[in-house]
Amino acid sequence: MPVELRKRKAPAPVPAPEPPAKKRSKAPKVSKVAKVAKVATKVKESVKSAAAKPAETNGSPKSGKPVVGSVISLDGFGGEVETNDGTKTTLKALVDESTAGVVLFTYPKASTPGCTNQVCLFRDSYTDLTKEGLLIYGLSTDSPKANTTFKTKQNLPYPLLCDPSATLIGAIGLKKTPKGTTRGVFVVDKTGKILLAEPGSPAGTVDAVKKLIAAGGISAAKEEPVTSKPTNGQATEEKKAAEGVEKPAE
């Protein structure tokens, strides 16, 4: 019996492969030179914006350090402090009471060796330092009781100011961070002009004020005396008298 040959089925067609996904083009690498140029541009812009900002008021930059030669607004400057006898006052009130201005010398702590040396040096030079109309004040964060004891014991001829919150000490640029007081001296005249602002040793703070006075810095800062103007009646009489003198005899 003949064998029947069966036809094999044709294999199913192989599906065409999907086209490969297009690769995303990579962003071109930025050269090091371009990066440097970009950074330099940003730095220049920040410098320009900083220079365009207005100067800080009260003659003090953000660092809190006053600038010698600048004029501060005395109203509210440094807040309120207290004298060793308990009287509330401000820098403006102290300046108003003076003839030529105010000297504030700061010391870290009452009745310690360095601070005792400093207050005694100001005491011994008190006459010379005040002859041009300056008023002298010691300034610290001590309590009124501690400063009164200090003043009495050392026989000081000037008041000691108590600034427990260091608002005035900070305003004149002599506050330590986070706390404490830098020994130094600050001088301001009647117009609010800063004549001296610097840290120093006990003797250095006194010598700085002496040099300022010797250089004539205080005399020039004094207010000019106000001459009394004649009243209308006085002016008329003076005018008539002048006309009588100038008028030739007929």
Side-chain angles (χ1 to χ4, degrees), residues 91-135:
L91 179 61
K92 184 181 187 306
L94 300 177
V95 171
D96 288 345
E97 291 171 9
S98 71
T99 303
V102 164
V103 175
L104 299 176
F105 70 88
T106 56
Y107 53 94
K109 189 172 179 61
S111 299
T112 54
C115 300
T116 300
N117 183 28
Q118 185 181 19
V119 299
C120 289
L121 287 170
F122 272 96
R123 177 198 65 194
D124 297 341
S125 301
Y126 183 76
T127 302
D128 290 336
L129 297 178
T130 57
K131 65 184 178 182
E132 293 294 341
L134 289 174
L135 292 182

